[in-house]
Amino acid sequence: MTSTTDRSQTLHPLLADRRSSRAFDEGHRLDDATLTSLLDAARWAPSANNSQPWRFGVARRGEAAFDALASALAPGNQAWAARASVLLLVAAADADSSGRHLPWAVYDVGQSVAHLTFQAASMGLGVHQFAGFDHDAVAREFGVPASWKVTTGIAVGRYVDTDSDSVDPKWDGRERVRNPLSTFVFSERFGEPRWS
Ligand SMILES: Cc1cc2nc3c(=O)[nH]c(=O)nc-3n(C[C@H](O)[C@H](O)[C@H](O)COP(=O)(O)O)c2cc1C
């Protein structure tokens, strides 16, 4: 593993500075225009055959949907996600309208969330994705059809602290590490590093 300090100097600041903080500002409100921009960024992501196999549920803090989503979170996630301005519920299509399986749907949905994430960063907002929640309970609560897979949730808001995790010091630094390129970039044979 390596630290956050060894990033390429040419990495764009939106990428270099992005992090999944848990220190959301409870006083922040996300307006509809900003929310629409974030979802528009997701909308313009590429997808296999332009299938656009995503759905986003929107729950602003104070709305019943927010409480419903927050109550399904794993306890460790409840501690911080309930302070976000908006929680988004993400679902991926299993098949198109003619019933044909969409093998790349989850890949496409992840990419649309990445676009949303960097649009948010460009607007000074933080995004923290989470998978730790009761997926079946949420699918039931929000009436997600069986042909759709609930994948993840996304907490969006303003961070009060971007340098440390003020929610719980146990997280500090743990998520600021990455494997070196030599461990995952290959050329002629899988597993043989292109660069040492
Ligand atoms: C699909 C997915 C699921 C995640 N689930 C959780 C989660 O349930 N709880 C949590 O605190 N963080 C969750 N995270 C955040 C990751 O732990 C975090 O992105 C990773 O540690 C790297 O940190 P960074 O985003 O700050 O670079 C999730 C991230 C992704 C992409």
Side-chain angles (χ1 to χ4, degrees):
M1 295 273 230
T2 186
S3 80
T4 187
T5 53
D6 73 343
R7 287 170 302 194
S8 158
Q9 293 301 309
T10 53
L11 205 56
H12 192 283
L14 287 179
L15 297 163
D17 298 340
R18 183 210 59 79
R19 69 170 296 187
S20 304
S21 175
R22 295 177 179 79
F24 284 106
D25 176 359
E26 265 183 308
H28 177 255
R29 188 180 185 281
L30 201 62
D31 60 55
D32 275 344
T34 307
L35 194 49
T36 304
S37 292
L38 303 185
L39 293 164
D40 218 19
R43 174 180 171 233
W44 280 101
S47 60
N49 295 314
N50 199 21
S51 52
Q52 304 167 63
W54 44 69
R55 291 289 185 275
F56 291 86
V58 175
R60 182 179 271 121
R61 198 179 53 245
E63 295 176 351
F66 188 100
D67 296 338
L69 195 43
S71 66
L73 295 175
N77 286 338
Q78 248 163 22
W80 56 268
R83 281 198 293 268
S85 308
V86 163
L87 294 177
L88 301 173
L89 178 63
V90 187
D94 189 49
D96 67 14
S97 53
S98 60
R100 199 176 43 177
H101 178 54
L102 293 170
W104 298 285
V106 172
Y107 180 98
D108 292 336
V109 170
Q111 186 159 208
S112 76
V113 174
H115 284 219
L116 180 154
T117 298
F118 293 105
Q119 179 66 30
S122 78
M123 301 172 96
L125 294 167
V127 163
H128 194 137
Q129 300 176 55
F130 55 85
F133 62 95
D134 185 334
H135 288 64
D136 293 339
V138 163
R140 271 194 311 276
E141 175 73 27
F142 291 88
V144 178
S147 53
W148 286 78
K149 177 184 170 58
V150 171
T151 57
T152 42
I154 311 175
V156 187
R158 189 168 64 195
Y159 291 151
V160 288
D161 187 350
T162 50
D163 293 329
S164 67
D165 198 319
S166 56
V167 173
D168 187 334
K170 81 174 178 191
W171 295 111
D172 278 341
R174 260 169 63 168
E175 295 170 332
R176 303 283 79 208
V177 290
R178 289 297 189 272
N179 299 327
L181 294 184
S182 58
T183 64
F184 66 89
V185 181
F186 69 95
S187 184
E188 288 170 13
R189 285 197 64 78
F190 186 95
E192 290 178 6
R194 176 166 180 101
W195 301 292
S196 52

